[in-house]
Amino acid sequence: QVHLVDSGGRWVQPGDSLRLSCAASGRTVSTLAMAWFRQAPGKEREYVAGLKRGSGTTYGTDSSRGRFTVSRDNGKNTVYLQMNNLKPEDTALYYCAATAGSPIVSSLRDASTFEYWGQGTQVTVSS
């Protein structure tokens, strides 16, 4: 069983940077495929960015690519979402997710791929 704890969300101004953390227990993050999703009020949960198992390459979206990076710290057993140049439309509840499987890149975008989820951390971007 894998337990994930999200943290780091807060209010920031447009253009700011923020790093979210996802601390894992029960399994080392290097053996998991990880992803971040977000959900804004009144909208469906959407994929933000992710890592394949054993890979350090961030797979993002048109919205996140170039601004958001996912990384692992195996020593702290934590995955991070570094977000730069934040925009008001990035406001949402952010969740990390993990799977012990080995999904292909396209499957990282599908929430049903992941069996483990954090509780979410709120990011608000406004002036």
Side-chain angles (χ1 to χ4, degrees):
Q1 186 72 14
V2 176
H3 184 58
L4 304 175
V5 178
D6 304 327
S7 63
R10 60 181 176 89
W11 174 82
V12 295
Q13 294 187 326
D16 284 355
S17 296
L18 188 64
R19 190 178 76 167
L20 305 183
S21 300
C22 174
S25 59
R27 188 159 175 155
T28 57
V29 293
S30 62
T31 67
L32 298 166
M34 307 287 298
W36 288 89
F37 289 78
R38 68 187 183 187
Q39 188 166 19
K43 294 187 177 181
E44 294 187 353
R45 189 173 298 190
E46 66 172 352
Y47 171 78
V48 175
L51 294 174
K52 290 180 63 178
R53 184 174 171 178
S55 169
T57 301
T58 299
Y59 295 95
T61 66
D62 289 343
S63 175
S64 67
R65 198 170 295 118
R67 297 191 300 132
F68 294 2
T69 303
V70 184
S71 62
R72 289 189 181 89
D73 184 330
N74 293 330
K76 294 182 178 180
N77 213 36
T78 298
V79 171
Y80 301 102
L81 176 65
Q82 177 66 43
M83 303 185 290
N84 299 325
N85 190 24
L86 282 160
K87 303 175 182 180
E89 51 264 40
D90 295 318
T91 295
L93 189 61
Y94 283 71
Y95 300 87
C96 73
T99 177
S102 298
I104 59 176
V105 172
S106 59
S107 293
L108 292 174
R109 298 170 174 261
D110 186 349
S112 67
T113 295
F114 301 92
E115 60 266 35
Y116 306 111
W117 289 83
Q119 81 287 0
T121 185
Q122 178 67 38
V123 174
T124 302
V125 185
S126 72
S127 55

